[in-house]
Amino acid sequence: MTAHIIDGKTIAADLRGKVTDAVHRLLRDRGLVPGIAVVLVGENPASEVYVRTKSKMVAAAGMHAIDRKLPATTSEAELLALVGELNADPAVNGILVQLPLPPQIDSHKIIAAIDPAKDVDGFHPLNVGRLASGLPALVPCTPLGCVMLAKTAHVSLAGLDAVVIGRSNIVGKPVAQLLLAENATVTVAHSKTRDLLGLCRRADLLIAAIGRPEMVRADWIKPGATVIDVGINRVAGQEGQQAGKSRIVGDVAYAEVAAVAGALTPVPGGVGPMTIACLLLNTLRAACAQNGLPAPSI
Ligand code: NDP
């Protein structure tokens, strides 16, 4: 079997296009421009690149990007004050505080201070609880993207045996909740799981969110299964490449798994592009909800 490659880049571009159309309609019919504030504390180069890409995509979707860059020495009180200011600003519909934060700042406190209605990352305890309770919520972007990609390979996820490897608050747990909401039978595995291989071999849908380069091998995969690879791991380049060059690989051994799986996301070009597209979607949804408008049908 050769897997169908789920093209996250194209699917994300399509989603961004739909969000952009809805944003234009919002401006035309209501005079509203959704705004998102992205807060970056400190000098993490990876975060800076990510934040720049986000801001570019936000602007391309016709939304208003408010970038707030603070020094690494920012205190918790100063960041809380900024969050309070953004909560009160009606031009700001979404607030994203880029993680990780410097050690003097408790990220849980900051996330809890964000107005849940503006929590476009879906990390606020209220949104976490609403998702777990099956209530409408702003849900984390990467997990939302994973489920959207999985749905492109199946008429329905109902009844599928889904295995999620990873139980982080950012990916593993929320993706498991979203799959439950789709009526999949969900098992969440982690570093203490016994017989991970046996579990994975029974999965119709396998989501790998581990952070271990190419850990998931071909013999872990049920023939025909759908495999969503969330991992982003920087490893040394292959032999023959320029010294010092690195490349990005997922948590799944792509070439060998592609020979067994029914559908597979590549890294890069799979889940990654969906994360920002879902952030735009969440911001649009937040702007509609804050203005008493129905959720856009996307
Ligand atoms: P975390 O490190 O927070 O969580 C990793 C999870 O994997 C933990 O639950 C851990 O178990 C589990 N794990 C680690 N080693 C093993 C093992 N040997 N066997 C089974 N389980 C194991 O990572 P994140 O959830 O934040 O991210 C996961 C990956 O996804 C990373 O590569 C990250 O870069 C990527 N990512 C990609 C995004 C995107 O936009 N595409 C966005 C966010 C993350 P335990 O809890 O027991 O320690």
Side-chain angles (χ1 to χ4, degrees):
M1 173 166 301
T2 307
H4 159 67
I5 303 305
I6 302 175
D7 180 357
K9 230 170 150 178
T10 302
I11 297 166
D14 183 55
L15 176 56
R16 289 201 311 273
K18 287 182 180 147
V19 171
T20 306
D21 291 346
V23 168
H24 289 156
R25 283 197 298 275
L26 207 54
L27 177 61
R28 186 195 60 203
D29 300 341
R30 306 276 175 169
L32 289 174
V33 179
I36 175 167
V38 178
V39 181
L40 179 62
V41 186
E43 309 275 319
N44 182 332
S47 293
E48 281 183 32
V49 172
Y50 193 47
V51 165
R52 258 202 310 276
T53 311
K54 273 180 196 165
S55 301
K56 241 193 273 168
M57 299 261 184
V58 167
M63 298 186 189
H64 183 41
I66 303 117
D67 288 335
R68 303 297 291 264
K69 201 167 176 307
L70 303 177
T73 51
T74 301
S75 69
E76 192 175 272
E78 284 167 330
L79 186 54
L80 284 170
L82 174 60
V83 169
E85 188 191 305
L86 297 170
N87 281 343
D89 185 343
V92 174
N93 303 109
I95 301 171
L96 184 151
V97 178
Q98 185 66 40
L99 303 177
L101 291 168
Q104 72 276 17
I105 301 177
D106 179 350
S107 57
H108 294 288
K109 253 195 202 166
I110 302 300
I111 291 167
I114 295 173
D115 178 348
K118 298 188 177 187
D119 169 40
V120 285
D121 249 345
F123 295 156
H124 189 286
L126 191 93
N127 281 316
V128 174
R130 289 181 70 88
L131 172 62
S133 306
L135 294 169
L138 284 166
V139 303
C141 302
T142 301
L144 183 58
C146 289
V147 172
M148 284 181 174
L149 293 181
K151 284 169 103 172
T152 66
H154 296 266
V155 178
S156 162
L157 304 184
L160 294 188
D161 274 326
V163 171
V164 179
I165 318 177
R167 56 174 164 179
S168 71
N169 291 334
I170 292 172
V171 190
K173 282 180 199 154
V175 90
Q177 294 290 356
L178 287 170
L179 291 171
L180 259 184
E182 294 289 336
N183 297 313
T185 303
V186 186
T187 307
V188 182
H190 47 77
S191 66
K192 307 289 185 294
T193 296
R194 281 189 234 150
D195 192 20
L196 182 60
L197 188 64
L199 260 185
C200 292
R201 279 183 180 158
R202 288 198 298 276
D204 304 306
L205 171 59
L206 181 65
I207 310 239
I210 317 163
R212 308 241 178 246
E214 301 181 324
M215 185 173 119
V216 176
R217 314 302 306 195
D219 62 348
W220 296 34
I221 307 298
K222 176 170 162 179
T226 296
V227 180
I228 307 290
D229 188 354
V230 188
I232 301 177
N233 308 289
R234 191 167 283 283
V235 296
Q238 273 164 331
E239 264 176 62
Q241 278 186 342
Q242 229 178 305
K245 274 234 164 159
S246 63
R247 65 196 168 101
I248 301 284
V249 298
D251 290 341
V252 174
Y254 180 79
E256 59 177 70
V257 168
V260 184
L264 171 64
T265 59
V267 177
V271 174
M274 291 300 286
T275 298
I276 293 184
C278 289
L279 176 70
L280 300 180
L281 178 60
N282 275 354
T283 305
L284 172 66
R285 284 178 172 162
C288 290
Q290 286 160 38
N291 286 282
L293 301 171
S297 54
I298 292 175

